[in-house]
Amino acid sequence: MTLNKLSVACCAVQQTARYVAARSYATASTSSFKAKDVEITRTKSPAAKPDVSKLKFGHHFSDHMLEVDWSESKGWEKPRICPMKNFQIHPAAKCLHYAVELFEGMKAFRGVDNRIRLFRPMENMKRMLTSAERSALPTFEGRELVELIKKLISIDVDWVPKASKEQPSSLYVRPTYIATEPTLGVAISTTAKLFVIIGPVGPYYATGLAPVKLLADPQYVRSWPGGSGGFKMGCNYAPTLYTQTKAASHGCQQVLWLFGDDHQLTEVGAMNLFTFWVNEHGGQELQLTMAEYFF
Amino acid sequence: MTLNKLSVACCAVQQTARYVAARSYATASTSSFKAKDVEITRTKSPAAKPDVSKLKFGHHFSDHMLEVDWSESKGWEKPRICPMKNFQIHPAAKCLHYAVELFEGMKAFRGVDNRIRLFRPMENMKRMLTSAERSALPTFEGRELVELIKKLISIDVDWVPKASKEQPSSLYVRPTYIATEPTLGVAISTTAKLFVIIGPVGPYYATGLAPVKLLADPQYVRSWPGGSGGFKMGCNYAPTLYTQTKAASHGCQQVLWLFGDDHQLTEVGAMNLFTFWVNEHGGQELQLTMAEYFF
């Protein structure tokens, strides 16, 4: 068994340069929405907050959300922070048929000093922009989105839970970007929606922070050279659900994804993977395995 | 260069048996909605029909659509044929984040005898059910959905265009199936929506029925052993848009997808591929290449 060599978290940055701009909408794609233009509508009916001791992952959402619409004709519109609501989506929207969608996952933590901290949000922005280019969606200025996320969190600051050793929790931040053009051709979308929803979360696994069991079966392959496994696109997740049911039937919480005849370790389910082992010379080694950018 | 061996259109059927049922909702998944239960609401404001000579692909939709909701708790609800409308979708719906979505593409033709014909719709149903199992979504009875599609077309029968040699056209039928549970964990959805939209279409390519040019570049790989390339899932399409822009920059309409060091032909963009060539013995051969079911 071999291990992929160590990849660093900032490889998204280094790889961006390899991309040729995917779209020709030079005017629209080189511009960006601005945080200072945000229009804020506050809810008149704030929701009750969930019991922190019973938080699951991704089941609760705060009172407000952020959305920014883009179209080829108008470029980026003004960002809006508004009460959490359902979207009106046309049944032919490209995100519902061809999975033209991508996301990020970030967390905001309430410290013992009661201040709120985001963990290196610009790294998420860099990856998000790389995913956008790979999805042929227009880019934007990452720091503008970070400013908007900070504004959104400040409005819903009471939703950031107070964590403790016994009850680990945080505010999960989910920037999402979907193609909305209501036509059925497999083609670049001329309209899109960027949005951010936030909500308090407990540990991702129902087992809490206890170790998880992994299914390693070489017949299921999640990412491959020339594919999109190195990007945070929705398309990389749908095919994993079936495999997850196989894992569950073996009493495993997640899948250890393998690749190639020598069963290279590529990824574990929804996270990166640290491997600690004693090598052939008796030395101890620790390595991080994560999806690499294949092209 | 090698060619995959001939695959037949009904391989979806043969492969279905390889699947172990992906979900444990035995009661819900073994049941199905029934066409006879359909509730019909007719539009009060029918739309103007487009000029048949100017039809594009997938830009026009008829007055009505079909939808059927499923949930783990209630199973399949009654099918509804209703006026074409936007969906209300929660921003955390799994189809918007993890691409849990699949579709079919079928056509209804108006014959010279003025009768409407569907082209082997049960083959589409078989493939759709295979895609549903691979997406860990509940199955249903294909013949019930075909009956509902026929009902929908009969209501919007005036939308089936009259084709001619000069103006090839048909009614495109798009059954779609999306996961709607509004939670952010990467997990099987406990709610889903099956829907069908229909509309008159011209040729898929703007070039009409003239030959298309193809980009063949081995650095882009669409499907691979152990993946989901053999299923009609949305996730197989999103990563192709970027490559399509590369093709366009070379004056090509589509991509000829290759796989492996020997550049096996796997697929062309949105269609199967016939190859006609003179083999090493001077004989003429014609082969159909299409995605195979890898596991």
Side-chain angles (χ1 to χ4, degrees), chain A residues 86-93 96 180-183 193, chain B residues 61-67 69 80 82-90 178 193 195 197:
Chain A
N86 285 344
F87 289 136
Q88 290 266 345
I89 297 185
H90 191 282
L96 301 182
T180 53
E181 185 185 321
T183 65
K193 184 186 281 292
Chain B
F61 302 97
S62 74
D63 287 323
H64 298 87
M65 62 184 298
L66 167 75
E67 58 180 336
D69 288 324
R80 299 185 301 276
C82 59
M84 185 73 180
K85 59 169 185 187
N86 286 344
F87 290 137
Q88 290 264 347
I89 297 186
H90 191 281
I178 59 175
K193 184 186 281 291
F195 64 94
I197 50 180

mmCIF file of all heavy atoms in Angstrom, chain A residues 86-93 96 180-183 193, chain B residues 61-67 69 80 82-90 178 193 195 197:
data_model
loop_
_atom_site.group_PDB
_atom_site.id
_atom_site.type_symbol
_atom_site.label_atom_id
_atom_site.label_comp_id
_atom_site.label_asym_id
_atom_site.label_seq_id
_atom_site.Cartn_x
_atom_site.Cartn_y
_atom_site.Cartn_z
ATOM 1 N N ASN A 86 -37.146 29.981 1.777
ATOM 2 C CA ASN A 86 -36.986 29.065 0.645
ATOM 3 C C ASN A 86 -36.659 29.850 -0.609
ATOM 4 O O ASN A 86 -37.041 31.011 -0.744
ATOM 5 C CB ASN A 86 -38.281 28.279 0.415
ATOM 6 C CG ASN A 86 -38.483 27.194 1.465
ATOM 7 O OD1 ASN A 86 -37.559 26.828 2.184
ATOM 8 N ND2 ASN A 86 -39.696 26.690 1.553
ATOM 9 N N PHE A 87 -35.960 29.177 -1.546
ATOM 10 C CA PHE A 87 -35.722 29.791 -2.855
ATOM 11 C C PHE A 87 -36.861 29.446 -3.801
ATOM 12 O O PHE A 87 -37.476 28.390 -3.688
ATOM 13 C CB PHE A 87 -34.440 29.247 -3.480
ATOM 14 C CG PHE A 87 -33.190 29.709 -2.814
ATOM 15 C CD1 PHE A 87 -32.164 28.811 -2.560
ATOM 16 C CD2 PHE A 87 -33.012 31.030 -2.451
ATOM 17 C CE1 PHE A 87 -30.988 29.225 -1.949
ATOM 18 C CE2 PHE A 87 -31.844 31.459 -1.846
ATOM 19 C CZ PHE A 87 -30.830 30.552 -1.601
ATOM 20 N N GLN A 88 -37.095 30.336 -4.736
ATOM 21 C CA GLN A 88 -37.966 30.052 -5.879
ATOM 22 C C GLN A 88 -37.038 29.586 -6.996
ATOM 23 O O GLN A 88 -36.254 30.386 -7.512
ATOM 24 C CB GLN A 88 -38.661 31.339 -6.321
ATOM 25 C CG GLN A 88 -39.701 31.857 -5.367
ATOM 26 C CD GLN A 88 -41.093 31.370 -5.741
ATOM 27 O OE1 GLN A 88 -41.294 30.881 -6.851
ATOM 28 N NE2 GLN A 88 -42.024 31.475 -4.827
ATOM 29 N N ILE A 89 -37.104 28.324 -7.363
ATOM 30 C CA ILE A 89 -36.193 27.815 -8.395
ATOM 31 C C ILE A 89 -36.989 27.207 -9.539
ATOM 32 O O ILE A 89 -37.910 26.404 -9.319
ATOM 33 C CB ILE A 89 -35.219 26.769 -7.799
ATOM 34 C CG1 ILE A 89 -34.340 27.445 -6.731
ATOM 35 C CG2 ILE A 89 -34.351 26.133 -8.886
ATOM 36 C CD1 ILE A 89 -33.262 26.548 -6.160
ATOM 37 N N HIS A 90 -36.644 27.591 -10.745
ATOM 38 C CA HIS A 90 -37.313 27.046 -11.934
ATOM 39 C C HIS A 90 -36.979 25.557 -12.054
ATOM 40 O O HIS A 90 -35.831 25.166 -11.830
ATOM 41 C CB HIS A 90 -36.829 27.807 -13.176
ATOM 42 C CG HIS A 90 -37.624 27.510 -14.406
ATOM 43 N ND1 HIS A 90 -37.466 26.355 -15.138
ATOM 44 C CD2 HIS A 90 -38.598 28.222 -15.033
ATOM 45 C CE1 HIS A 90 -38.303 26.372 -16.168
ATOM 46 N NE2 HIS A 90 -39.005 27.494 -16.128
ATOM 47 N N PRO A 91 -37.969 24.728 -12.419
ATOM 48 C CA PRO A 91 -37.708 23.280 -12.510
ATOM 49 C C PRO A 91 -36.627 22.904 -13.527
ATOM 50 O O PRO A 91 -36.082 21.800 -13.459
ATOM 51 C CB PRO A 91 -39.059 22.697 -12.942
ATOM 52 C CG PRO A 91 -40.065 23.738 -12.632
ATOM 53 C CD PRO A 91 -39.371 25.064 -12.693
ATOM 54 N N ALA A 92 -36.301 23.797 -14.454
ATOM 55 C CA ALA A 92 -35.247 23.492 -15.434
ATOM 56 C C ALA A 92 -33.890 24.072 -15.022
ATOM 57 O O ALA A 92 -32.928 23.975 -15.776
ATOM 58 C CB ALA A 92 -35.639 24.022 -16.815
ATOM 59 N N ALA A 93 -33.797 24.663 -13.831
ATOM 60 C CA ALA A 93 -32.528 25.285 -13.410
ATOM 61 C C ALA A 93 -31.376 24.283 -13.517
ATOM 62 O O ALA A 93 -31.504 23.126 -13.112
ATOM 63 C CB ALA A 93 -32.656 25.798 -11.979
ATOM 64 N N LEU A 96 -30.341 21.759 -10.825
ATOM 65 C CA LEU A 96 -31.176 20.590 -10.518
ATOM 66 C C LEU A 96 -30.975 19.442 -11.504
ATOM 67 O O LEU A 96 -31.430 18.328 -11.250
ATOM 68 C CB LEU A 96 -32.662 20.984 -10.507
ATOM 69 C CG LEU A 96 -33.077 22.071 -9.518
ATOM 70 C CD1 LEU A 96 -34.577 22.311 -9.590
ATOM 71 C CD2 LEU A 96 -32.661 21.716 -8.099
ATOM 72 N N THR A 180 -28.412 28.757 -12.076
ATOM 73 C CA THR A 180 -29.877 28.833 -12.041
ATOM 74 C C THR A 180 -30.543 28.987 -13.407
ATOM 75 O O THR A 180 -31.772 29.037 -13.486
ATOM 76 C CB THR A 180 -30.308 30.035 -11.157
ATOM 77 O OG1 THR A 180 -29.641 31.210 -11.620
ATOM 78 C CG2 THR A 180 -29.949 29.793 -9.693
ATOM 79 N N GLU A 181 -29.781 29.046 -14.473
ATOM 80 C CA GLU A 181 -30.412 29.259 -15.792
ATOM 81 C C GLU A 181 -31.430 28.162 -16.095
ATOM 82 O O GLU A 181 -31.105 26.976 -16.045
ATOM 83 C CB GLU A 181 -29.346 29.293 -16.906
ATOM 84 C CG GLU A 181 -29.969 29.646 -18.251
ATOM 85 C CD GLU A 181 -28.971 29.567 -19.406
ATOM 86 O OE1 GLU A 181 -27.813 29.967 -19.238
ATOM 87 O OE2 GLU A 181 -29.373 29.080 -20.471
ATOM 88 N N PRO A 182 -32.665 28.563 -16.440
ATOM 89 C CA PRO A 182 -33.734 27.577 -16.637
ATOM 90 C C PRO A 182 -33.815 27.033 -18.058
ATOM 91 O O PRO A 182 -34.853 27.119 -18.716
ATOM 92 C CB PRO A 182 -34.988 28.376 -16.272
ATOM 93 C CG PRO A 182 -34.661 29.778 -16.683
ATOM 94 C CD PRO A 182 -33.186 29.949 -16.502
ATOM 95 N N THR A 183 -32.719 26.450 -18.535
ATOM 96 C CA THR A 183 -32.730 25.804 -19.855
ATOM 97 C C THR A 183 -32.013 24.463 -19.751
ATOM 98 O O THR A 183 -31.118 24.294 -18.926
ATOM 99 C CB THR A 183 -32.021 26.653 -20.925
ATOM 100 O OG1 THR A 183 -30.634 26.753 -20.583
ATOM 101 C CG2 THR A 183 -32.609 28.052 -21.034
ATOM 102 N N LYS A 193 -26.616 31.962 -8.547
ATOM 103 C CA LYS A 193 -26.904 32.505 -7.221
ATOM 104 C C LYS A 193 -25.839 32.035 -6.252
ATOM 105 O O LYS A 193 -25.534 30.837 -6.158
ATOM 106 C CB LYS A 193 -28.280 32.047 -6.743
ATOM 107 C CG LYS A 193 -28.690 32.648 -5.402
ATOM 108 C CD LYS A 193 -30.001 32.058 -4.868
ATOM 109 C CE LYS A 193 -31.221 32.634 -5.523
ATOM 110 N NZ LYS A 193 -31.466 34.046 -5.206
ATOM 111 N N PHE B 61 -41.096 25.577 -22.397
ATOM 112 C CA PHE B 61 -41.795 24.569 -21.613
ATOM 113 C C PHE B 61 -43.298 24.731 -21.783
ATOM 114 O O PHE B 61 -43.797 25.832 -21.980
ATOM 115 C CB PHE B 61 -41.383 24.675 -20.136
ATOM 116 C CG PHE B 61 -39.894 24.501 -19.984
ATOM 117 C CD1 PHE B 61 -39.053 25.600 -19.885
ATOM 118 C CD2 PHE B 61 -39.336 23.228 -20.024
ATOM 119 C CE1 PHE B 61 -37.676 25.441 -19.803
ATOM 120 C CE2 PHE B 61 -37.961 23.052 -19.935
ATOM 121 C CZ PHE B 61 -37.122 24.165 -19.828
ATOM 122 N N SER B 62 -43.982 23.599 -21.711
ATOM 123 C CA SER B 62 -45.428 23.600 -21.940
ATOM 124 C C SER B 62 -46.157 24.203 -20.732
ATOM 125 O O SER B 62 -45.537 24.653 -19.772
ATOM 126 C CB SER B 62 -45.902 22.167 -22.198
ATOM 127 O OG SER B 62 -45.894 21.455 -20.971
ATOM 128 N N ASP B 63 -47.477 24.172 -20.767
ATOM 129 C CA ASP B 63 -48.269 24.824 -19.719
ATOM 130 C C ASP B 63 -48.312 24.044 -18.409
ATOM 131 O O ASP B 63 -48.584 24.621 -17.358
ATOM 132 C CB ASP B 63 -49.717 25.019 -20.220
ATOM 133 C CG ASP B 63 -49.814 26.129 -21.250
ATOM 134 O OD1 ASP B 63 -49.096 27.127 -21.097
ATOM 135 O OD2 ASP B 63 -50.605 25.977 -22.204
ATOM 136 N N HIS B 64 -48.055 22.731 -18.461
ATOM 137 C CA HIS B 64 -48.223 21.912 -17.258
ATOM 138 C C HIS B 64 -46.970 21.096 -16.941
ATOM 139 O O HIS B 64 -46.108 20.898 -17.807
ATOM 140 C CB HIS B 64 -49.433 20.970 -17.416
ATOM 141 C CG HIS B 64 -50.719 21.704 -17.579
ATOM 142 N ND1 HIS B 64 -51.162 22.126 -18.815
ATOM 143 C CD2 HIS B 64 -51.632 22.133 -16.679
ATOM 144 C CE1 HIS B 64 -52.312 22.766 -18.665
ATOM 145 N NE2 HIS B 64 -52.621 22.786 -17.380
ATOM 146 N N MET B 65 -46.900 20.642 -15.715
ATOM 147 C CA MET B 65 -45.819 19.760 -15.303
ATOM 148 C C MET B 65 -46.396 18.688 -14.369
ATOM 149 O O MET B 65 -47.537 18.800 -13.914
ATOM 150 C CB MET B 65 -44.739 20.547 -14.564
ATOM 151 C CG MET B 65 -45.232 21.196 -13.290
ATOM 152 S SD MET B 65 -43.959 22.229 -12.492
ATOM 153 C CE MET B 65 -42.739 20.989 -12.134
ATOM 154 N N LEU B 66 -45.582 17.688 -14.108
ATOM 155 C CA LEU B 66 -45.981 16.624 -13.177
ATOM 156 C C LEU B 66 -45.051 16.652 -11.982
ATOM 157 O O LEU B 66 -43.834 16.849 -12.149
ATOM 158 C CB LEU B 66 -45.859 15.260 -13.882
ATOM 159 C CG LEU B 66 -45.934 14.027 -12.983
ATOM 160 C CD1 LEU B 66 -47.368 13.771 -12.522
ATOM 161 C CD2 LEU B 66 -45.370 12.804 -13.703
ATOM 162 N N GLU B 67 -45.591 16.464 -10.791
ATOM 163 C CA GLU B 67 -44.695 16.287 -9.640
ATOM 164 C C GLU B 67 -45.242 15.259 -8.670
ATOM 165 O O GLU B 67 -46.446 15.106 -8.516
ATOM 166 C CB GLU B 67 -44.392 17.614 -8.933
ATOM 167 C CG GLU B 67 -45.568 18.368 -8.410
ATOM 168 C CD GLU B 67 -45.161 19.691 -7.709
ATOM 169 O OE1 GLU B 67 -44.025 19.834 -7.239
ATOM 170 O OE2 GLU B 67 -46.026 20.568 -7.616
ATOM 171 N N ASP B 69 -44.127 13.862 -4.712
ATOM 172 C CA ASP B 69 -43.231 13.993 -3.564
ATOM 173 C C ASP B 69 -43.132 12.677 -2.799
ATOM 174 O O ASP B 69 -44.106 11.915 -2.701
ATOM 175 C CB ASP B 69 -43.735 15.103 -2.632
ATOM 176 C CG ASP B 69 -43.532 16.483 -3.238
ATOM 177 O OD1 ASP B 69 -42.498 16.676 -3.914
ATOM 178 O OD2 ASP B 69 -44.407 17.349 -3.076
ATOM 179 N N ARG B 80 -49.266 14.817 -8.955
ATOM 180 C CA ARG B 80 -50.030 16.028 -9.302
ATOM 181 C C ARG B 80 -49.594 16.541 -10.674
ATOM 182 O O ARG B 80 -48.400 16.710 -10.933
ATOM 183 C CB ARG B 80 -49.782 17.137 -8.280
ATOM 184 C CG ARG B 80 -50.203 16.809 -6.859
ATOM 185 C CD ARG B 80 -50.026 18.002 -5.919
ATOM 186 N NE ARG B 80 -48.633 18.464 -5.871
ATOM 187 C CZ ARG B 80 -47.685 17.936 -5.101
ATOM 188 N NH1 ARG B 80 -47.955 16.894 -4.325
ATOM 189 N NH2 ARG B 80 -46.467 18.419 -5.096
ATOM 190 N N CYS B 82 -49.955 19.917 -12.669
ATOM 191 C CA CYS B 82 -50.326 21.283 -12.288
ATOM 192 C C CYS B 82 -49.718 22.275 -13.283
ATOM 193 O O CYS B 82 -48.874 21.897 -14.091
ATOM 194 C CB CYS B 82 -49.839 21.574 -10.871
ATOM 195 S SG CYS B 82 -48.062 21.389 -10.695
ATOM 196 N N PRO B 83 -50.136 23.530 -13.228
ATOM 197 C CA PRO B 83 -49.510 24.520 -14.115
ATOM 198 C C PRO B 83 -48.009 24.602 -13.847
ATOM 199 O O PRO B 83 -47.579 24.454 -12.701
ATOM 200 C CB PRO B 83 -50.214 25.825 -13.727
ATOM 201 C CG PRO B 83 -51.533 25.395 -13.187
ATOM 202 C CD PRO B 83 -51.270 24.097 -12.472
ATOM 203 N N MET B 84 -47.225 24.805 -14.887
ATOM 204 C CA MET B 84 -45.776 24.982 -14.765
ATOM 205 C C MET B 84 -45.493 26.106 -13.773
ATOM 206 O O MET B 84 -46.110 27.171 -13.836
ATOM 207 C CB MET B 84 -45.218 25.331 -16.147
ATOM 208 C CG MET B 84 -43.725 25.426 -16.229
ATOM 209 S SD MET B 84 -42.933 23.806 -16.156
ATOM 210 C CE MET B 84 -41.209 24.305 -16.281
ATOM 211 N N LYS B 85 -44.571 25.865 -12.850
ATOM 212 C CA LYS B 85 -44.326 26.846 -11.777
ATOM 213 C C LYS B 85 -42.912 26.663 -11.244
ATOM 214 O O LYS B 85 -42.272 25.631 -11.451
ATOM 215 C CB LYS B 85 -45.324 26.595 -10.646
ATOM 216 C CG LYS B 85 -45.168 25.177 -10.103
ATOM 217 C CD LYS B 85 -45.901 24.885 -8.836
ATOM 218 C CE LYS B 85 -45.511 23.467 -8.389
ATOM 219 N NZ LYS B 85 -46.271 22.975 -7.266
ATOM 220 N N ASN B 86 -42.441 27.654 -10.514
ATOM 221 C CA ASN B 86 -41.177 27.508 -9.797
ATOM 222 C C ASN B 86 -41.376 26.623 -8.575
ATOM 223 O O ASN B 86 -42.470 26.559 -8.022
ATOM 224 C CB ASN B 86 -40.669 28.876 -9.337
ATOM 225 C CG ASN B 86 -40.116 29.694 -10.483
ATOM 226 O OD1 ASN B 86 -39.839 29.161 -11.558
ATOM 227 N ND2 ASN B 86 -39.955 30.981 -10.272
ATOM 228 N N PHE B 87 -40.280 25.962 -8.165
ATOM 229 C CA PHE B 87 -40.319 25.204 -6.916
ATOM 230 C C PHE B 87 -39.928 26.106 -5.754
ATOM 231 O O PHE B 87 -39.126 27.030 -5.911
ATOM 232 C CB PHE B 87 -39.316 24.043 -6.948
ATOM 233 C CG PHE B 87 -39.694 22.939 -7.876
ATOM 234 C CD1 PHE B 87 -38.735 22.361 -8.694
ATOM 235 C CD2 PHE B 87 -40.990 22.446 -7.913
ATOM 236 C CE1 PHE B 87 -39.062 21.327 -9.547
ATOM 237 C CE2 PHE B 87 -41.327 21.408 -8.771
ATOM 238 C CZ PHE B 87 -40.359 20.852 -9.584
ATOM 239 N N GLN B 88 -40.443 25.781 -4.591
ATOM 240 C CA GLN B 88 -39.975 26.364 -3.337
ATOM 241 C C GLN B 88 -38.951 25.373 -2.793
ATOM 242 O O GLN B 88 -39.311 24.258 -2.408
ATOM 243 C CB GLN B 88 -41.140 26.461 -2.344
ATOM 244 C CG GLN B 88 -42.168 27.489 -2.706
ATOM 245 C CD GLN B 88 -41.913 28.808 -1.991
ATOM 246 O OE1 GLN B 88 -41.119 28.864 -1.064
ATOM 247 N NE2 GLN B 88 -42.545 29.866 -2.463
ATOM 248 N N ILE B 89 -37.688 25.749 -2.768
ATOM 249 C CA ILE B 89 -36.655 24.810 -2.303
ATOM 250 C C ILE B 89 -35.875 25.434 -1.154
ATOM 251 O O ILE B 89 -35.426 26.582 -1.234
ATOM 252 C CB ILE B 89 -35.704 24.423 -3.464
ATOM 253 C CG1 ILE B 89 -36.494 23.675 -4.553
ATOM 254 C CG2 ILE B 89 -34.547 23.559 -2.958
ATOM 255 C CD1 ILE B 89 -35.646 23.130 -5.673
ATOM 256 N N HIS B 90 -35.728 24.671 -0.083
ATOM 257 C CA HIS B 90 -34.962 25.146 1.076
ATOM 258 C C HIS B 90 -33.488 25.289 0.665
ATOM 259 O O HIS B 90 -32.960 24.446 -0.055
ATOM 260 C CB HIS B 90 -35.099 24.121 2.218
ATOM 261 C CG HIS B 90 -34.567 24.624 3.523
ATOM 262 N ND1 HIS B 90 -33.221 24.641 3.820
ATOM 263 C CD2 HIS B 90 -35.191 25.131 4.616
ATOM 264 C CE1 HIS B 90 -33.047 25.141 5.045
ATOM 265 N NE2 HIS B 90 -34.230 25.441 5.548
ATOM 266 N N ILE B 178 -34.991 14.718 -7.580
ATOM 267 C CA ILE B 178 -34.051 15.451 -6.728
ATOM 268 C C ILE B 178 -34.269 15.145 -5.241
ATOM 269 O O ILE B 178 -35.390 14.889 -4.803
ATOM 270 C CB ILE B 178 -34.172 16.984 -6.950
ATOM 271 C CG1 ILE B 178 -35.594 17.480 -6.636
ATOM 272 C CG2 ILE B 178 -33.780 17.367 -8.376
ATOM 273 C CD1 ILE B 178 -35.763 18.997 -6.711
ATOM 274 N N LYS B 193 -38.219 14.726 -4.482
ATOM 275 C CA LYS B 193 -39.257 15.148 -5.423
ATOM 276 C C LYS B 193 -38.937 14.600 -6.805
ATOM 277 O O LYS B 193 -37.818 14.748 -7.306
ATOM 278 C CB LYS B 193 -39.310 16.679 -5.488
ATOM 279 C CG LYS B 193 -40.429 17.206 -6.374
ATOM 280 C CD LYS B 193 -40.387 18.724 -6.547
ATOM 281 C CE LYS B 193 -40.938 19.478 -5.381
ATOM 282 N NZ LYS B 193 -42.394 19.337 -5.192
ATOM 283 N N PHE B 195 -40.167 14.891 -10.714
ATOM 284 C CA PHE B 195 -41.016 15.763 -11.532
ATOM 285 C C PHE B 195 -40.703 15.581 -13.011
ATOM 286 O O PHE B 195 -39.653 15.043 -13.383
ATOM 287 C CB PHE B 195 -40.883 17.234 -11.106
ATOM 288 C CG PHE B 195 -39.513 17.838 -11.292
ATOM 289 C CD1 PHE B 195 -39.189 18.546 -12.446
ATOM 290 C CD2 PHE B 195 -38.550 17.735 -10.299
ATOM 291 C CE1 PHE B 195 -37.942 19.127 -12.609
ATOM 292 C CE2 PHE B 195 -37.289 18.311 -10.452
ATOM 293 C CZ PHE B 195 -36.990 19.007 -11.606
ATOM 294 N N ILE B 197 -40.972 17.793 -16.683
ATOM 295 C CA ILE B 197 -41.310 18.979 -17.461
ATOM 296 C C ILE B 197 -41.170 18.615 -18.940
ATOM 297 O O ILE B 197 -40.370 17.733 -19.292
ATOM 298 C CB ILE B 197 -40.419 20.195 -17.099
ATOM 299 C CG1 ILE B 197 -38.933 19.828 -17.113
ATOM 300 C CG2 ILE B 197 -40.808 20.723 -15.716
ATOM 301 C CD1 ILE B 197 -38.001 20.987 -16.767
#
